[in-house]
Amino acid sequence: MAETGASPRPPAPPARSPLARAEHFVWLTARVLEQRLFAYHFLDGDADPVETALDAYRGADGGYGHGLEPDLRGPLSQPLHTGHALRVLDAIERCGGQRVERVCRYLTSVTTPDGALPAILPGQQAYPTAPFLPVPADPPSELLATGPVVGLLHRNEVWHAWLFRATDFCWQAVESLEQSHPYEIQAAVAFLDSAPDRPRAEAVADRLGRLVRDQRLAALDPDHLDAHPVPPGYAPGEHHFPYDYARTPDSLARAWFTDDEMSRSLDHLLTEQEDDGGWPIRRRRWAPSTALEARPMVTIAALRTLHAYGRPLN
């Protein structure tokens, strides 16, 4: 029999929100750059500390290196690092002025004969690199590297001589895509979402959407992932979902998916938050430090996508 007059049990504390759990994870594991980015996006932080943290990765040649993209180690500036830096500057609305003029000079210095960017320059052979990122002796032009950079520069109304031929390359590349893979499609979307010729971009995006569905490059039913093939060369379980292509509702890729397909993919994204508060990386893990550095980046991207679609985080 219960003791008379015993104090009632205190109410259970409220469950911690996805944002609070992610914040704990970021402070626990992230590099300074991602800590500053998280504060900018979700804690009313200022842009200046983000830019200061990013400067630590900038080389004397105007490009970026020093492991900014965790799968490429070493000090050398690389196009993939530099594209990442532009995404950071775009996120804090600082993608312009002298800082981007320096970037464009670097891009000009590493451009291939057809006016585009390689993904990785041969000097990377001297430094640790993810085994799934080949370092060719004669690197080809890559939509993977060029599309996102050209798209970001157009998005921010940057005008530089480098853009003319690079834009032509992107149009030719996206209009000729036939057999593709998720990361290449994402690069195409990054270009098309900001390409200046909107009717042309919409027409190409419509064709790519049919290609994505025909080639089953998006996992449309997160509850039955075994039914969705993983592209050759990708890690087991490295699926891509509608939100990977349409990171915001105003992306051209949003029209590729029904409301139900998008909603289910966002539900799945929310449930992927792990016990430590961070989101997992789906690509191959090849070194402990690179996985640790990449997860805060993936976590911030997941939070931004959920926020863009109006999903509650608090």
Side-chain angles (χ1 to χ4, degrees):
M1 182 173 178
E3 183 179 348
T4 303
S7 300
R9 178 177 296 177
R16 299 183 69 203
S17 70
L19 185 60
R21 293 165 58 206
E23 180 179 357
H24 176 82
F25 173 77
V26 166
W27 294 132
L28 180 66
T29 67
R31 304 181 297 190
V32 172
L33 175 59
E34 282 72 44
Q35 291 178 15
R36 296 298 198 180
L37 271 172
F38 182 90
Y40 175 83
H41 287 302
F42 303 107
L43 302 175
D44 295 323
D46 191 70
D48 287 344
V50 180
E51 194 168 359
T52 299
L54 183 63
D55 278 344
Y57 298 90
R58 183 160 55 86
D61 57 4
Y64 289 78
H66 295 279
L68 180 57
E69 276 287 345
D71 287 331
L72 296 178
R73 315 306 290 184
L76 295 184
S77 295
Q78 290 286 354
L80 287 182
H81 290 311
T82 305
H84 185 123
L86 286 174
R87 288 194 295 275
V88 171
L89 292 171
D90 175 68
I92 63 173
E93 300 183 353
R94 295 286 179 87
C95 193
Q98 287 298 312
R99 65 181 69 80
V100 174
E101 176 67 28
R102 290 193 298 266
V103 169
C104 287
R105 288 199 295 268
Y106 165 75
L107 298 176
T108 301
S109 73
V110 298
T111 295
T112 60
D114 55 5
L117 295 173
I120 305 174
L121 300 172
Q124 188 64 34
Q125 294 172 348
Y127 300 98
T129 306
F132 48 81
L133 293 177
V135 186
D138 185 18
S141 301
E142 294 271 9
L143 177 62
L144 195 69
T146 313
V149 169
V150 172
L152 279 174
L153 294 179
H154 281 306
R155 169 187 169 93
N156 288 276
E157 299 182 344
V158 173
W159 295 106
H160 189 276
W162 178 80
L163 265 175
F164 292 101
R165 294 182 64 214
T167 300
D168 288 342
F169 168 84
C170 289
W171 279 124
Q172 188 278 328
V174 299
E175 289 177 333
S176 61
L177 279 179
E178 294 297 339
Q179 195 69 28
S180 190
H181 60 93
Y183 290 121
E184 188 173 50
I185 296 293
Q186 289 175 42
V189 171
F191 167 69
L192 294 171
D193 275 347
S194 299
D197 188 339
R198 300 314 299 154
R200 186 178 182 184
E202 291 165 6
V204 175
D206 183 66
R207 186 183 71 83
L208 289 186
R210 293 194 299 273
L211 182 151
V212 164
R213 298 187 75 94
D214 290 345
Q215 297 181 14
R216 303 178 68 193
L217 299 181
L220 300 179
D221 186 355
D223 294 329
H224 298 90
L225 291 179
D226 290 344
H228 296 280
V230 174
Y234 282 49
E238 192 175 359
H239 294 98
H240 285 71
F241 301 89
Y243 63 77
D244 286 308
Y245 300 102
R247 282 286 176 180
T248 64
D250 59 357
S251 170
L252 291 174
R254 175 61 186 88
W256 301 352
F257 309 105
T258 67
D259 291 347
D260 180 63
E261 288 167 347
M262 182 58 70
S263 181
R264 280 187 289 166
S265 80
L266 293 169
D267 290 343
H268 176 73
L269 177 60
L270 190 55
T271 63
E272 279 202 307
Q273 188 175 24
E274 298 189 335
D275 291 342
D276 61 7
W279 268 260
I281 56 172
R282 297 196 296 268
R283 63 182 182 271
R284 296 183 191 276
R285 301 187 181 205
W286 63 283
S289 62
T290 60
L292 186 66
E293 291 177 1
R295 284 193 65 210
M297 296 161 53
V298 172
T299 296
I300 293 171
L303 291 170
R304 293 187 67 196
T305 296
L306 291 165
H307 176 73
Y309 280 94
R311 292 300 181 100
L313 298 175
N314 287 307

